[in-house]
Amino acid sequence: MAVVDDASLIRESFGLLMPGLDVVAAVATVEELVRLRPVVDMVLLDLHLANLEQQPDVRQGIAAIRALTRCGYRVCVYSQEERRFVLAACIAAGASGVVSKALPTRRAERLLLNAAAGGTVIPQSVVGILEVLVRRDSITLLSERQRQILHGRARGLTYAQIAKQLFVSESTLRGYWLDLTRSLSDSLRNLTPGEIERALGLAPGDLLEFWSGEATDVKDWWRVDMGK
């Protein structure tokens, strides 16, 4: 795994705090990682990197995710960001997961290992957005069972609670959820900003134009309030 974070303390201590993760590169910018091109299963990316006024050309946010995925890297965002549309935009841009820095270390480590192994880690707030999109037929390629599982997860039910409701084992349900999150993240990447705005009842332009396009001007990422 590689870590991209401008906080030296995090870069230097990540492997010690999460011994289950094999950190082979830890750098401050996406540009530095692209120059090094380490062979890793996943890149762990902090959305909020260098100060834009001091280093205006440093990629951040969606632009950083797209730059890494274009190089063939699997990306998981590790951030204190909580706004649900920002987190959903990360998935739409190609991130395989989003893990909060506020989580307990052991919990975060398990989620990161899951993402590195090929899983998709979707925050609870984004699960709620996806459930709305499915309910309003913006995402349609789901079975009735998958819709039931998504409905339960969007309301914060545990795997055990949903498994009991649907009369399946918890391990079977986890398999369903893995397939479901992959399908939902792929569908989210294929939606246009206009389709998402209409489905969620937002005004035209409430979402960033680069949601499903090229993000090159990183300053736009911070100018727009995505917390609506």
Side-chain angles (χ1 to χ4, degrees):
M1 177 179 295
V3 176
V4 181
D5 197 303
D6 64 340
S8 58
L9 179 61
I10 291 180
R11 293 197 307 274
E12 294 169 6
S13 63
F14 210 92
L16 297 175
L17 293 174
M18 299 186 185
L21 303 176
D22 182 15
V23 179
V24 301
V27 297
T29 67
V30 168
E31 287 76 10
E32 186 177 355
L33 186 75
V34 171
R35 285 195 298 270
L36 293 174
R37 287 296 180 100
V39 178
V40 293
D41 294 328
M42 187 174 73
V43 175
L44 195 62
L45 173 69
D46 185 7
L47 285 182
H48 306 265
L49 294 171
N51 186 296
L52 285 176
E53 293 182 359
Q54 296 176 359
Q55 294 181 280
D57 296 329
V58 170
R59 289 185 179 90
Q60 301 194 53
I62 298 300
I65 294 172
R66 291 197 183 281
L68 291 170
T69 55
R70 280 197 298 267
C71 290
Y73 285 117
R74 183 176 183 83
V75 178
C76 184
V77 172
Y78 187 54
S79 176
Q80 293 179 319
E81 178 62 67
E82 296 181 352
R83 290 171 293 175
R84 61 178 189 156
F85 285 117
V86 176
L87 302 181
C90 291
I91 302 296
S96 298
V98 178
V99 175
S100 172
K101 285 186 175 181
L103 289 176
T105 304
R106 296 281 78 80
R107 169 65 175 159
E109 183 178 17
R110 287 195 298 270
L111 291 174
L112 294 174
L113 286 170
N114 179 31
T120 302
V121 180
I122 300 181
Q124 183 65 35
S125 58
V126 179
V127 172
I129 290 178
L130 292 171
E131 201 258 347
V132 171
L133 293 173
V134 169
R135 192 171 66 244
R136 297 182 180 177
D137 291 329
S138 293
I139 298 176
T140 57
L141 299 177
L142 295 182
S143 67
E144 182 58 31
R145 175 55 56 89
Q146 288 176 321
R147 287 173 180 262
Q148 292 170 338
I149 295 171
L150 178 62
H151 180 81
R153 294 295 289 166
R155 280 147 189 78
L157 298 182
T158 65
Y159 289 114
Q161 290 171 322
I162 300 173
K164 185 177 180 180
Q165 289 180 355
L166 300 181
F167 303 101
V168 298
S169 69
E170 189 172 339
S171 61
T172 297
L173 183 64
R174 288 180 182 273
Y176 286 152
W177 182 248
L178 176 60
D179 292 339
L180 178 57
T181 52
R182 287 173 177 167
S183 176
L184 289 172
S185 61
D186 289 343
S187 297
L188 184 59
R189 290 165 194 162
N190 292 326
L191 291 177
T192 67
E195 288 170 335
I196 296 171
E197 287 167 349
R198 287 192 294 274
L200 298 179
L202 302 174
D206 277 352
L207 296 181
L208 295 179
E209 292 182 0
F210 62 68
W211 178 287
S212 52
E214 288 295 318
T216 55
D217 184 0
V218 296
K219 294 179 183 177
D220 287 343
W221 170 255
W222 307 116
R223 280 204 298 263
V224 179
D225 179 10
M226 297 179 67
K228 296 180 181 179

